[in-house]
Structures are given as C-alpha cells and as structure tokens.
Amino acid sequence: MTGDKSPEFLAGLAPSLHEASRFEGPDAFYATLVKKLEAAGDDGALQFLCRLVLILANEVGHQDTLLAALGRAERKPQSSDNL
Amino acid sequence: MQFPAAPLPKGAAAGPERVQVVIAGAGLVGLTLAIDLTLQGVPAVVLEKRDAAGEGSRSICQAKRTLEIWDRLGAAAPMLEKGITWKTGRVFHRDRLLYSFDLLPESGHKMPAFINLQQFHVEAALIDRLYALGGAVRWCHELTGVDPHEKNVSIAVQTPAGSYRMDTDWLVDCEGARSLVRRALGLQFGGEVFADKFLICDVKMGHADFPSERWFWFEPPFHTGQTALLHRQADNVWRIDLQLSPEADPEIEREPARVTERIRRMLGHSDFSLEWVSVYVFQCRTLERYIHGRVVFAGDAAHQVSPFGARGGNGGVQDADNLAWKLVRAVDGRASPRLLDSYDAERRTAAYENILNSTRSTDFMSPKTKASRALRDEVLALAAEAPFARTLVNPGRLSVPAHLTDSPLNTPDRESWSTGQFAPGSPAFDAPIHSPAGKRWLLELLTGQFVLVLQPDQDEQLIPEQIPIDGERVTVLALGRDLEDEQDVLARRYNLLPGSAYLFRPDQHLVARWRHWSVRGVEEAARKALGQS
C-alpha cells in the first residue's frame, strides 16, 4: 500500500542513516536554529519546528529514510554513566 | 417505500423450512448479494425486520466501482438517472481555498467517479431489480435466533403473524452494525472508537449557490475550530457534516432549533428545511474472521469505518460482489473450501485498508494532543502556499476499489507490464469498445463468469470461443473477432500487444495475464482462481 512501511523496512532492512556529520557549517546552523526558536517563543517554537520538519521531510522524500529518521528520533539517548 | 409484512412460509407449522442461502438484512449489501445470487441461479431468502427501505439518507456517495458492480447486476441505470454525478472536491482552510481535486480526470469510462444518491433511493432501485428477477424480501421477518451446526445453520424468525424456523446451508449476515448474528455467536469487533462526535444532517434548500462538488472545510469561520462538509444529493437535498467536541451531548445537539442555527450560520440564509439529523461517533473496527463455519459476515456486520471517505457502503457492496460467485460454487459443490476462504482473506485485507485510511482521516481531523494539533495546523498553513503540503491534508481519502494483489487466487506475472498499479488482483479497467451488438463498454462483457480478453497474434489461426474447465467455462473475447478497439483505449490501458491475454474472474478482477497466452496456461490459472491448486 502506498505510504506504508515497505517489506524491506518491516524485515529490518531499513536504510541506515548517516552517522557522520553532513553539515557544512554545524556551528552556524545550530546558532541560527537556536536564535529562531528563541525568537519564536514557546508556542511559536512548536509551530516553527513542525513547519521545519515538514519542509525537511519533503526534501528527503524517500519513505523508508523518513521512517528510519522517525525511529532514530524516538530512540532515547544512551546512558553516559561511564563518562 | 413501505411493504406489507410477508406471510408465513407455507408449511411453517410442519417443521423448519429448508433453504440453501439466507441473507439477513435487506440493505445495500444484502440486496446486492441477493440479486447476484439470483442471476447466478441460487435464489436466497432475504429476511428484513423493517417494513421499508432505510430511514435517513445515510450512505450517499456511491463510488465508480460500486456503480460498475450494480451495472453488472442490471441495477445501475435508475440510480444514475436519479443521482447527482460529481468528481470534483474542494478543500478549504478557514475562508481560503487550499486546493481542488478531480477524481476521474480521464474519459473512456462508462461510470462516473461518484454519484450522490440517498441510500433509500439506492435500496429502492435494488429492490425493483430483485423483484424484476423474481426474487423477494420477507419484510417484517426478524431473525431472532441462530444455532450454527457443522453443515447448516438453524435460525428462528419472528413475524407479525407468528414465528417459524429455518434450516439453511449458509447464512450471510448483512444486518449492519447492530447485527444480532454477531452477538449470538459471541463475536467481538477489534479496533478503535473515537471520542469525537459529528452532527450529520440533510437539509432541503429552497435555493443553493453551491455546485455539485464535495466541499470540505477545516476551521471554517461559521464553525470555529472544527471541520465541516457540504455535499449535494438528489431532490435538492444537501448533506452537511459538522464536527462537534468530544463533550457534546447528542440529545442537545439534535435539537432542531440548535441544528437550524448552526446550518443558518453555515449557509448564510434560512431558506432550508431539515430532512434528517443524527449525531454519531467514528468507529473503525472489524471482526477477526468473516466466515465462521456456515455463517458469513458482510458489510457493517463485519467491519465499520468512519463516513469520511465513503468506504462503508462501498466496501460492503464489494463484499457482496466478492462473495456471490464463490458462494454459488460452494452451494452447488463446485468449489473447494479454499475458494470461499479467499473471501475472508481478500475482504479482510480490503477492510484493513479502509480502516487504515479512515483512521488516518479521523486522526487528521481530530488531533489528540497539543503537538499533533500544532503539526496538523502547520500542514494546513503550509498547504496554502506550498503544493507539497497539500498531499498531507486529509479530509477523507475517498473510496477506491480494493486491489487484491495478495490474493491466493492470483497467478503472479511472469513478464513485465507497463500498467502501473494494475496487476493480478486488480479490478478491470473499463474501456469503450465496439461489439457485434454496437457500441459497448468492456465491463459490460465481463458478466458473472470467467472471461479471457486477448489480442491475437498475426499468425494465430484458431482461437476457441470457450475453454471448458471442470464444469466451468472461460468465455474468450478476441479483439478483431468479438470486439473492436476503435479508439485504441483498451490496448493502451491494458498494454495489450499481439499475443497478450487477460483472464478475469466472475467479479471482474484480474487473475492472470500473459504476453503469449496458451490454453494450458488459462486452464491452470482458472483452476487456481477456483481454489483448486
């Protein structure tokens, strides 16, 4: 069915996401993002992030990559007790 | 349309009446099934506790595939004449048009994308057709007891003139959401019941400036923060759906003065009268199995969806279409058990697809958390300026026929075809053709039996008119001999090169196709489609 998880995805063969950075200017991007979130205020920030996700998701387009990204975002950060 | 109570069957006092098939419920689904069975030589007893076709307009959007099924049964013409034909929808956010869509952008199909026609008008046409074929409905005969056995079902029936019993080989439950049979068998629906309530009403307008289109609003100025739907039906009656809050009290919301004020705010005038009002909650639920021994469930008795998308009635009619040819072969002993089992597999898959679509629409209309509402609102805001976001707007994905591509009855493709989503399991595309009887449509020639449509090779000399298979026959339709494709639509839609052939089953779904067909290949595919291999 269009828009649903592909058989490869269900079989655990989801595309692996990039672990290495692909940002051309990570510090500049992060600083700009923070500025825009702070300028938007708490409620405005939620709207801003929703809109940003939609725009970026359309740029990615590929269904399995999007689903893998949703799964990655859902994952809790690993414990840092050993640091 | 009211009917007198049917009399008690002859000999009712002497013992149980013995019949092959009983259909419980004379709604859209039960009547469709009864007509199909009658046409195939297996008249069924139809029990209906009411004395008339249904109250209120209920299911109004009759989809193309449903119309094709009713046309195969000879019942569609009066519906097309009476109904409102439409194919355009418009979606608004507040007072701004977000986008419009066309459900059937190409020509060359006998049936339109949709007609809007009140369910009682549809049922009247089906009743007329059933009676014209010599069938009948036992009005005011209420099924009151069910006792399933291994090879038959005993049932009890109550009528105004007294009660009687029947023994039937098969009982098909088409009694809808409040099915007694389902409760008697202790079967439960699985799925979701949504908290949101919707006010649904039909209004007759003195004057209306709206075209025959489906108009849907998110957060309209006349109904703050909610959704609204406006849709024209026959007799200048308009369907209006207004979303209510989960806390809304159905009794209060049904009060005529309150409803009238809501409609006045929407239409901007008071030149209308209320025809029918109801408040409902969305339910997206299904049984785990549709066949329990000799009891078969169809339509809302088997599954329920929200009305946005018109997938309830249309899905139920496809149930009947799928079941009839299999049940006929089960009754006369031609079918292997696997054939009837395929009804369960195919229609549950279709129901899951309908439920999935219906649930997604409901979730889009009724976000449950602050974050999901923010996301939905941003989709709507973005859709006004960015075409990509319009694909995410979900005001109900309208009914499309099920593509039974995972069916065990299909013979998978061995060659490549450039026909997009169309594959074994898909319902046939229509196309204008010319036959010895004059201008026709392809679907008019796919009538309740296996049919092979082929494009002969230039050197192909002897093409049989029929291919017999174990008490069945496959009717062969060869281009150039039995039909002409004067507009080249058939060849284009089916990528029908010389030597190619398509095998359709009695409900017009494709089961196999070949680039170079052979009688043996057709025989093997037909046997598989009959559940024999």
Side-chain angles (χ1 to χ4, degrees), chain A residues 17-71:
Chain A
L17 298 174
H18 297 282
E19 293 297 333
S21 172
R22 303 181 75 218
F23 292 109
E24 291 178 356
D27 288 351
F29 169 74
Y30 190 82
T32 308
L33 181 58
V34 167
K35 268 187 190 166
K36 294 201 179 292
L37 285 172
E38 288 172 351
D42 281 349
D43 283 348
L46 179 58
Q47 293 174 350
F48 174 84
L49 287 174
C50 287
R51 185 173 277 236
L52 181 64
V53 165
L54 294 168
I55 292 166
L56 292 177
N58 185 57
E59 289 302 312
V60 173
H62 186 245
Q63 183 78 347
D64 286 353
T65 304
L66 290 171
L67 293 173
L70 289 173

Side-chain angles (χ1 to χ4, degrees), chain B residues 178-477:
Chain B
R178 296 186 181 90
S179 151
L180 175 135
V181 181
R182 201 178 57 240
R183 281 181 279 128
L185 269 59
L187 302 174
Q188 303 290 325
F189 277 132
E192 198 171 353
V193 178
F194 292 84
D196 293 78
K197 297 184 179 74
F198 284 77
L199 174 71
I200 181 170
C201 41
D202 290 343
V203 301
K204 188 152 192 155
M205 289 202 216
H207 76 277
D209 298 327
F210 305 103
S212 299
E213 299 174 343
R214 181 185 197 262
W215 284 18
F216 191 97
W217 289 264
F218 290 97
E219 303 178 319
F222 53 81
H223 194 49
T224 310
Q226 306 284 28
T227 65
L229 173 72
L230 177 71
H231 222 173
R232 187 179 176 192
Q233 311 171 47
D235 304 326
N236 214 21
V237 172
W238 296 72
R239 162 66 55 83
I240 293 172
D241 272 40
L242 297 171
Q243 186 182 22
L244 304 172
S245 73
E247 298 77 33
D249 182 333
E251 289 302 316
I252 294 172
E253 294 299 342
R254 267 195 294 264
E255 287 173 3
R258 191 176 177 89
V259 176
T260 298
E261 176 53 23
R262 285 192 187 280
I263 306 297
R264 192 199 59 73
R265 276 208 302 270
M266 178 178 187
L267 301 177
H269 63 76
S270 302
D271 188 13
F272 63 86
S273 57
L274 296 179
E275 293 260 308
W276 179 62
V277 175
S278 181
V279 173
Y280 64 90
V281 293
F282 282 170
Q283 304 191 25
C284 291
R285 309 190 296 175
T286 179
L287 291 175
E288 281 186 17
R289 280 190 59 79
Y290 297 165
I291 301 178
H292 292 260
R294 293 295 183 116
V295 181
V296 184
F297 293 88
D300 280 3
H303 44 71
Q304 294 165 15
V305 292
S306 77
F308 291 103
R311 290 169 178 269
N314 288 298
V317 171
Q318 289 179 56
D319 286 349
D321 179 52
N322 189 294
L323 176 60
W325 69 279
K326 298 170 182 174
L327 189 57
V328 165
R329 286 159 178 80
V331 166
D332 67 16
R334 270 183 291 164
S336 85
R338 273 186 293 185
L339 180 61
L340 201 58
D341 284 346
S342 73
Y343 164 77
D344 182 76
E346 292 179 347
R347 294 312 302 167
R348 265 192 302 119
T349 302
Y352 288 141
E353 185 175 322
N354 285 332
I355 287 171
L356 182 71
N357 278 287
S358 190
T359 302
R360 286 173 173 172
S361 300
T362 310
D363 286 340
F364 191 86
M365 289 176 207
S366 311
K368 293 183 179 68
T369 66
K370 183 182 174 187
S372 59
R373 176 166 287 277
L375 183 67
R376 197 285 301 268
D377 290 349
E378 287 313 306
V379 167
L380 292 170
L382 207 49
E385 61 193 61
F388 81 81
R390 292 168 200 159
T391 61
L392 299 169
V393 176
N394 192 338
R397 303 291 185 220
L398 287 154
S399 174
V400 291
H403 289 254
L404 309 171
T405 46
D406 294 329
S407 170
L409 307 185
N410 296 338
T411 296
D413 283 337
R414 287 182 184 167
E415 298 127 325
S416 66
W417 297 79
S418 54
T419 51
Q421 195 190 4
F422 185 73
S426 298
F429 288 136
D430 205 358
I433 51 105
H434 207 278
S435 81
K439 283 188 176 175
R440 302 284 299 273
W441 297 91
L442 176 67
L443 295 190
E444 293 176 344
L445 306 183
L446 308 181
T447 52
Q449 57 187 320
F450 283 92
V451 177
L452 184 74
V453 177
L454 63 89
Q455 173 78 281
D457 258 333
Q458 283 181 338
D459 56 352
E460 203 162 346
Q461 298 295 319
L462 194 62
I463 300 169
E465 292 187 355
Q466 293 184 350
I467 301 173
I469 299 161
D470 308 335
E472 297 276 348
R473 63 188 164 87
V474 175
T475 299
V476 180
L477 297 177

